[in-house]
Amino acid sequence: MIIRAEHLCKTYRIGEQVIEAVKGVDLEIERGKFVSIVGHSGSGKTTLLSMLGGLTRPTHGRVYIDGVDIWELEDDELSELRNTKIGFMFQFSSLIPTLTAVENVMLPVAFSRRSPGDIERRALELLEMVGLSHRTHSSPSQLSGGEQRRVAIARALINDPDIILADEPTGDLDRKTEEEVMELFLRINREMGKTFLMVTHNPELARQTDVTLVMENGCIIAREDHG
């Protein structure tokens, strides 16, 4: 299993109120699978994804990536694991407005030991793969919402991560663009073997994945296999 969680819990305290965002989740995700997480707002989907990606520390429980207990790592080791193993995508593209498309793609590895020439070549290859070879020097303001999302996809792949974690990556897109982005995700999953874990409110998108996990009140209440 590329991702495994054991008894994962996250509790927040707001004044005297205690909020259990995630309650004792156990899950296993096989390498190369495309897994979707669905559920109503407030069901714990984003919190779960954040803990699995090493962004939010659990109150209790363990997360293993390739057998490594990530929350036992030192901060620099965890940062290195996130940077090399995981590509993140969020609801908004969050591109830097003063950078071009290719510069935005290069950003996660700007301070790595790789040569600038190699980094730029890889960024250009990824932009071509997502259909934006003609937009490499455009700024985000010159790109449509769908094009910005494609830049964000290329950016998530620049470190060649094994895992892509996507939180509502199509939530602000129109239906046609949403379908195009989903087709791209599925192609990356099939052709590059990337493991996807995607939070979505769209049941049509979820049905296109290998497995759907249904969350309610911080718990996984159902698993649907689509294979």
mmCIF file of all heavy atoms in Angstrom, residues 59-91:
data_model
loop_
_atom_site.group_PDB
_atom_site.id
_atom_site.type_symbol
_atom_site.label_atom_id
_atom_site.label_comp_id
_atom_site.label_asym_id
_atom_site.label_seq_id
_atom_site.Cartn_x
_atom_site.Cartn_y
_atom_site.Cartn_z
ATOM 1 N N THR A 59 -4.535 14.522 15.711
ATOM 2 C CA THR A 59 -4.605 14.469 17.173
ATOM 3 C C THR A 59 -4.204 13.084 17.660
ATOM 4 O O THR A 59 -3.506 12.943 18.664
ATOM 5 C CB THR A 59 -6.040 14.804 17.639
ATOM 6 O OG1 THR A 59 -6.437 16.059 17.082
ATOM 7 C CG2 THR A 59 -6.095 14.899 19.158
ATOM 8 N N HIS A 60 -4.656 12.068 16.950
ATOM 9 C CA HIS A 60 -4.284 10.673 17.228
ATOM 10 C C HIS A 60 -4.157 9.943 15.899
ATOM 11 O O HIS A 60 -4.700 10.374 14.889
ATOM 12 C CB HIS A 60 -5.340 9.959 18.084
ATOM 13 C CG HIS A 60 -5.633 10.611 19.385
ATOM 14 N ND1 HIS A 60 -4.744 10.640 20.433
ATOM 15 C CD2 HIS A 60 -6.736 11.286 19.810
ATOM 16 C CE1 HIS A 60 -5.269 11.291 21.444
ATOM 17 N NE2 HIS A 60 -6.476 11.699 21.099
ATOM 18 N N GLY A 61 -3.452 8.811 15.927
ATOM 19 C CA GLY A 61 -3.376 7.966 14.746
ATOM 20 C C GLY A 61 -2.077 8.119 13.974
ATOM 21 O O GLY A 61 -1.248 8.970 14.290
ATOM 22 N N ARG A 62 -1.948 7.281 12.958
ATOM 23 C CA ARG A 62 -0.712 7.239 12.172
ATOM 24 C C ARG A 62 -1.019 7.284 10.688
ATOM 25 O O ARG A 62 -2.054 6.782 10.236
ATOM 26 C CB ARG A 62 0.092 5.966 12.494
ATOM 27 C CG ARG A 62 0.550 5.881 13.944
ATOM 28 C CD ARG A 62 1.349 4.624 14.211
ATOM 29 N NE ARG A 62 1.784 4.546 15.593
ATOM 30 C CZ ARG A 62 2.878 5.131 16.076
ATOM 31 N NH1 ARG A 62 3.662 5.826 15.262
ATOM 32 N NH2 ARG A 62 3.202 5.010 17.334
ATOM 33 N N VAL A 63 -0.071 7.857 9.931
ATOM 34 C CA VAL A 63 -0.137 7.878 8.467
ATOM 35 C C VAL A 63 1.171 7.314 7.940
ATOM 36 O O VAL A 63 2.256 7.788 8.322
ATOM 37 C CB VAL A 63 -0.333 9.310 7.924
ATOM 38 C CG1 VAL A 63 -0.285 9.301 6.395
ATOM 39 C CG2 VAL A 63 -1.647 9.903 8.408
ATOM 40 N N TYR A 64 1.071 6.312 7.087
ATOM 41 C CA TYR A 64 2.255 5.712 6.468
ATOM 42 C C TYR A 64 2.224 5.986 4.968
ATOM 43 O O TYR A 64 1.210 5.761 4.313
ATOM 44 C CB TYR A 64 2.276 4.196 6.692
ATOM 45 C CG TYR A 64 2.376 3.791 8.148
ATOM 46 C CD1 TYR A 64 1.217 3.581 8.897
ATOM 47 C CD2 TYR A 64 3.610 3.620 8.758
ATOM 48 C CE1 TYR A 64 1.288 3.208 10.231
ATOM 49 C CE2 TYR A 64 3.693 3.237 10.090
ATOM 50 C CZ TYR A 64 2.531 3.036 10.819
ATOM 51 O OH TYR A 64 2.613 2.671 12.142
ATOM 52 N N ILE A 65 3.330 6.469 4.437
ATOM 53 C CA ILE A 65 3.512 6.605 2.996
ATOM 54 C C ILE A 65 4.723 5.767 2.606
ATOM 55 O O ILE A 65 5.825 5.991 3.117
ATOM 56 C CB ILE A 65 3.697 8.078 2.586
ATOM 57 C CG1 ILE A 65 2.399 8.848 2.837
ATOM 58 C CG2 ILE A 65 4.105 8.176 1.109
ATOM 59 C CD1 ILE A 65 2.456 10.302 2.453
ATOM 60 N N ASP A 66 4.484 4.792 1.740
ATOM 61 C CA ASP A 66 5.531 3.821 1.385
ATOM 62 C C ASP A 66 6.170 3.225 2.639
ATOM 63 O O ASP A 66 7.394 3.045 2.726
ATOM 64 C CB ASP A 66 6.602 4.481 0.512
ATOM 65 C CG ASP A 66 6.258 4.418 -0.967
ATOM 66 O OD1 ASP A 66 5.427 3.569 -1.356
ATOM 67 O OD2 ASP A 66 6.809 5.220 -1.742
ATOM 68 N N GLY A 67 5.338 2.951 3.634
ATOM 69 C CA GLY A 67 5.803 2.301 4.851
ATOM 70 C C GLY A 67 6.432 3.216 5.880
ATOM 71 O O GLY A 67 6.793 2.763 6.968
ATOM 72 N N VAL A 68 6.556 4.505 5.575
ATOM 73 C CA VAL A 68 7.172 5.466 6.494
ATOM 74 C C VAL A 68 6.086 6.163 7.299
ATOM 75 O O VAL A 68 5.134 6.714 6.727
ATOM 76 C CB VAL A 68 8.014 6.509 5.724
ATOM 77 C CG1 VAL A 68 8.546 7.580 6.675
ATOM 78 C CG2 VAL A 68 9.151 5.828 4.987
ATOM 79 N N ASP A 69 6.206 6.136 8.624
ATOM 80 C CA ASP A 69 5.285 6.842 9.506
ATOM 81 C C ASP A 69 5.624 8.328 9.440
ATOM 82 O O ASP A 69 6.558 8.799 10.091
ATOM 83 C CB ASP A 69 5.442 6.310 10.933
ATOM 84 C CG ASP A 69 4.426 6.897 11.908
ATOM 85 O OD1 ASP A 69 3.794 7.918 11.557
ATOM 86 O OD2 ASP A 69 4.285 6.356 13.016
ATOM 87 N N ILE A 70 4.867 9.074 8.649
ATOM 88 C CA ILE A 70 5.286 10.443 8.314
ATOM 89 C C ILE A 70 5.241 11.387 9.510
ATOM 90 O O ILE A 70 5.994 12.370 9.554
ATOM 91 C CB ILE A 70 4.468 11.025 7.139
ATOM 92 C CG1 ILE A 70 3.005 11.268 7.528
ATOM 93 C CG2 ILE A 70 4.573 10.112 5.921
ATOM 94 C CD1 ILE A 70 2.235 12.050 6.478
ATOM 95 N N TRP A 71 4.362 11.108 10.480
ATOM 96 C CA TRP A 71 4.267 12.028 11.621
ATOM 97 C C TRP A 71 5.280 11.719 12.712
ATOM 98 O O TRP A 71 5.280 12.362 13.764
ATOM 99 C CB TRP A 71 2.832 12.058 12.154
ATOM 100 C CG TRP A 71 1.938 12.739 11.174
ATOM 101 C CD1 TRP A 71 0.956 12.177 10.413
ATOM 102 C CD2 TRP A 71 1.967 14.117 10.815
ATOM 103 N NE1 TRP A 71 0.375 13.119 9.596
ATOM 104 C CE2 TRP A 71 0.970 14.320 9.827
ATOM 105 C CE3 TRP A 71 2.738 15.210 11.227
ATOM 106 C CZ2 TRP A 71 0.737 15.565 9.246
ATOM 107 C CZ3 TRP A 71 2.500 16.449 10.647
ATOM 108 C CH2 TRP A 71 1.504 16.611 9.684
ATOM 109 N N GLU A 72 6.175 10.742 12.452
ATOM 110 C CA GLU A 72 7.323 10.507 13.321
ATOM 111 C C GLU A 72 8.577 11.178 12.767
ATOM 112 O O GLU A 72 9.634 11.151 13.402
ATOM 113 C CB GLU A 72 7.574 9.000 13.474
ATOM 114 C CG GLU A 72 6.518 8.277 14.305
ATOM 115 C CD GLU A 72 6.502 8.744 15.761
ATOM 116 O OE1 GLU A 72 7.587 8.857 16.362
ATOM 117 O OE2 GLU A 72 5.396 9.022 16.282
ATOM 118 N N LEU A 73 8.483 11.779 11.582
ATOM 119 C CA LEU A 73 9.632 12.417 10.950
ATOM 120 C C LEU A 73 9.915 13.783 11.568
ATOM 121 O O LEU A 73 9.006 14.446 12.077
ATOM 122 C CB LEU A 73 9.381 12.591 9.445
ATOM 123 C CG LEU A 73 9.179 11.326 8.612
ATOM 124 C CD1 LEU A 73 8.806 11.706 7.183
ATOM 125 C CD2 LEU A 73 10.430 10.456 8.627
ATOM 126 N N GLU A 74 11.177 14.210 11.503
ATOM 127 C CA GLU A 74 11.521 15.581 11.854
ATOM 128 C C GLU A 74 10.919 16.519 10.802
ATOM 129 O O GLU A 74 10.600 16.102 9.686
ATOM 130 C CB GLU A 74 13.037 15.748 11.899
ATOM 131 C CG GLU A 74 13.738 14.875 12.948
ATOM 132 C CD GLU A 74 13.383 15.281 14.375
ATOM 133 O OE1 GLU A 74 13.060 16.460 14.588
ATOM 134 O OE2 GLU A 74 13.424 14.406 15.255
ATOM 135 N N ASP A 75 10.793 17.796 11.153
ATOM 136 C CA ASP A 75 10.143 18.748 10.246
ATOM 137 C C ASP A 75 10.812 18.810 8.882
ATOM 138 O O ASP A 75 10.135 18.846 7.847
ATOM 139 C CB ASP A 75 10.132 20.150 10.872
ATOM 140 C CG ASP A 75 9.144 20.263 12.021
ATOM 141 O OD1 ASP A 75 8.302 19.356 12.170
ATOM 142 O OD2 ASP A 75 9.222 21.261 12.762
ATOM 143 N N ASP A 76 12.157 18.801 8.856
ATOM 144 C CA ASP A 76 12.850 18.882 7.565
ATOM 145 C C ASP A 76 12.668 17.603 6.761
ATOM 146 O O ASP A 76 12.568 17.639 5.530
ATOM 147 C CB ASP A 76 14.336 19.212 7.755
ATOM 148 C CG ASP A 76 15.060 18.191 8.616
ATOM 149 O OD1 ASP A 76 14.398 17.456 9.385
ATOM 150 O OD2 ASP A 76 16.305 18.124 8.537
ATOM 151 N N GLU A 77 12.592 16.468 7.459
ATOM 152 C CA GLU A 77 12.365 15.201 6.765
ATOM 153 C C GLU A 77 10.946 15.141 6.193
ATOM 154 O O GLU A 77 10.739 14.652 5.073
ATOM 155 C CB GLU A 77 12.576 14.024 7.725
ATOM 156 C CG GLU A 77 13.997 13.868 8.226
ATOM 157 C CD GLU A 77 14.115 12.797 9.288
ATOM 158 O OE1 GLU A 77 13.220 12.700 10.149
ATOM 159 O OE2 GLU A 77 15.120 12.043 9.263
ATOM 160 N N LEU A 78 9.986 15.644 6.952
ATOM 161 C CA LEU A 78 8.612 15.666 6.466
ATOM 162 C C LEU A 78 8.478 16.598 5.266
ATOM 163 O O LEU A 78 7.800 16.268 4.282
ATOM 164 C CB LEU A 78 7.668 16.104 7.591
ATOM 165 C CG LEU A 78 6.180 16.198 7.240
ATOM 166 C CD1 LEU A 78 5.649 14.870 6.710
ATOM 167 C CD2 LEU A 78 5.373 16.649 8.455
ATOM 168 N N SER A 79 9.148 17.745 5.319
ATOM 169 C CA SER A 79 9.115 18.675 4.186
ATOM 170 C C SER A 79 9.708 18.031 2.943
ATOM 171 O O SER A 79 9.167 18.184 1.836
ATOM 172 C CB SER A 79 9.886 19.955 4.531
ATOM 173 O OG SER A 79 9.246 20.658 5.563
ATOM 174 N N GLU A 80 10.801 17.300 3.125
ATOM 175 C CA GLU A 80 11.428 16.619 1.998
ATOM 176 C C GLU A 80 10.506 15.553 1.416
ATOM 177 O O GLU A 80 10.371 15.425 0.193
ATOM 178 C CB GLU A 80 12.747 15.978 2.458
ATOM 179 C CG GLU A 80 13.477 15.169 1.406
ATOM 180 C CD GLU A 80 14.064 16.015 0.278
ATOM 181 O OE1 GLU A 80 14.113 17.259 0.411
ATOM 182 O OE2 GLU A 80 14.471 15.424 -0.740
ATOM 183 N N LEU A 81 9.841 14.803 2.280
ATOM 184 C CA LEU A 81 8.914 13.773 1.808
ATOM 185 C C LEU A 81 7.757 14.399 1.025
ATOM 186 O O LEU A 81 7.407 13.925 -0.057
ATOM 187 C CB LEU A 81 8.384 12.956 2.983
ATOM 188 C CG LEU A 81 7.416 11.819 2.628
ATOM 189 C CD1 LEU A 81 7.675 10.607 3.510
ATOM 190 C CD2 LEU A 81 5.957 12.250 2.774
ATOM 191 N N ARG A 82 7.177 15.474 1.580
ATOM 192 C CA ARG A 82 6.088 16.148 0.864
ATOM 193 C C ARG A 82 6.549 16.647 -0.494
ATOM 194 O O ARG A 82 5.819 16.558 -1.489
ATOM 195 C CB ARG A 82 5.570 17.337 1.688
ATOM 196 C CG ARG A 82 4.654 16.988 2.821
ATOM 197 C CD ARG A 82 3.897 18.209 3.303
ATOM 198 N NE ARG A 82 4.790 19.305 3.651
ATOM 199 C CZ ARG A 82 5.138 19.644 4.885
ATOM 200 N NH1 ARG A 82 4.671 18.960 5.912
ATOM 201 N NH2 ARG A 82 5.943 20.664 5.102
ATOM 202 N N ASN A 83 7.753 17.165 -0.547
ATOM 203 C CA ASN A 83 8.252 17.782 -1.778
ATOM 204 C C ASN A 83 8.576 16.759 -2.852
ATOM 205 O O ASN A 83 8.481 17.061 -4.046
ATOM 206 C CB ASN A 83 9.491 18.626 -1.467
ATOM 207 C CG ASN A 83 9.801 19.620 -2.561
ATOM 208 O OD1 ASN A 83 8.900 20.222 -3.137
ATOM 209 N ND2 ASN A 83 11.076 19.801 -2.864
ATOM 210 N N THR A 84 8.961 15.575 -2.443
ATOM 211 C CA THR A 84 9.390 14.572 -3.425
ATOM 212 C C THR A 84 8.338 13.512 -3.718
ATOM 213 O O THR A 84 8.304 12.958 -4.823
ATOM 214 C CB THR A 84 10.666 13.852 -2.944
ATOM 215 O OG1 THR A 84 10.421 13.253 -1.656
ATOM 216 C CG2 THR A 84 11.834 14.833 -2.817
ATOM 217 N N LYS A 85 7.462 13.237 -2.754
ATOM 218 C CA LYS A 85 6.504 12.135 -2.904
ATOM 219 C C LYS A 85 5.105 12.581 -3.305
ATOM 220 O O LYS A 85 4.324 11.785 -3.834
ATOM 221 C CB LYS A 85 6.396 11.351 -1.575
ATOM 222 C CG LYS A 85 7.614 10.524 -1.221
ATOM 223 C CD LYS A 85 7.576 9.190 -1.914
ATOM 224 C CE LYS A 85 8.686 8.276 -1.416
ATOM 225 N NZ LYS A 85 8.649 6.959 -2.113
ATOM 226 N N ILE A 86 4.758 13.867 -3.002
ATOM 227 C CA ILE A 86 3.367 14.286 -3.118
ATOM 228 C C ILE A 86 3.247 15.552 -3.951
ATOM 229 O O ILE A 86 3.993 16.513 -3.751
ATOM 230 C CB ILE A 86 2.750 14.543 -1.724
ATOM 231 C CG1 ILE A 86 2.892 13.305 -0.832
ATOM 232 C CG2 ILE A 86 1.280 14.931 -1.849
ATOM 233 C CD1 ILE A 86 2.515 13.551 0.614
ATOM 234 N N GLY A 87 2.296 15.542 -4.876
ATOM 235 C CA GLY A 87 1.924 16.746 -5.599
ATOM 236 C C GLY A 87 0.559 17.197 -5.115
ATOM 237 O O GLY A 87 -0.363 16.383 -5.001
ATOM 238 N N PHE A 88 0.431 18.479 -4.779
ATOM 239 C CA PHE A 88 -0.815 18.996 -4.212
ATOM 240 C C PHE A 88 -1.566 19.841 -5.237
ATOM 241 O O PHE A 88 -0.961 20.626 -5.967
ATOM 242 C CB PHE A 88 -0.527 19.861 -2.984
ATOM 243 C CG PHE A 88 0.040 19.102 -1.817
ATOM 244 C CD1 PHE A 88 1.407 19.022 -1.612
ATOM 245 C CD2 PHE A 88 -0.802 18.457 -0.919
ATOM 246 C CE1 PHE A 88 1.939 18.327 -0.535
ATOM 247 C CE2 PHE A 88 -0.281 17.754 0.160
ATOM 248 C CZ PHE A 88 1.087 17.694 0.358
ATOM 249 N N MET A 89 -2.891 19.686 -5.235
ATOM 250 C CA MET A 89 -3.768 20.536 -6.028
ATOM 251 C C MET A 89 -4.953 20.926 -5.173
ATOM 252 O O MET A 89 -5.528 20.087 -4.470
ATOM 253 C CB MET A 89 -4.259 19.818 -7.275
ATOM 254 C CG MET A 89 -3.237 19.670 -8.359
ATOM 255 S SD MET A 89 -4.064 19.334 -9.910
ATOM 256 C CE MET A 89 -5.019 20.829 -10.108
ATOM 257 N N PHE A 90 -5.329 22.210 -5.245
ATOM 258 C CA PHE A 90 -6.425 22.708 -4.429
ATOM 259 C C PHE A 90 -7.517 23.291 -5.317
ATOM 260 O O PHE A 90 -7.391 23.331 -6.538
ATOM 261 C CB PHE A 90 -5.895 23.740 -3.431
ATOM 262 C CG PHE A 90 -4.804 23.201 -2.556
ATOM 263 C CD1 PHE A 90 -3.465 23.471 -2.830
ATOM 264 C CD2 PHE A 90 -5.097 22.383 -1.473
ATOM 265 C CE1 PHE A 90 -2.454 22.954 -2.037
ATOM 266 C CE2 PHE A 90 -4.101 21.866 -0.679
ATOM 267 C CZ PHE A 90 -2.766 22.144 -0.956
ATOM 268 N N GLN A 91 -8.597 23.758 -4.689
ATOM 269 C CA GLN A 91 -9.733 24.234 -5.465
ATOM 270 C C GLN A 91 -9.359 25.403 -6.356
ATOM 271 O O GLN A 91 -9.850 25.531 -7.473
ATOM 272 C CB GLN A 91 -10.885 24.637 -4.536
ATOM 273 C CG GLN A 91 -12.104 25.138 -5.309
ATOM 274 C CD GLN A 91 -13.304 25.358 -4.413
ATOM 275 O OE1 GLN A 91 -13.271 25.039 -3.232
ATOM 276 N NE2 GLN A 91 -14.363 25.898 -4.981
#
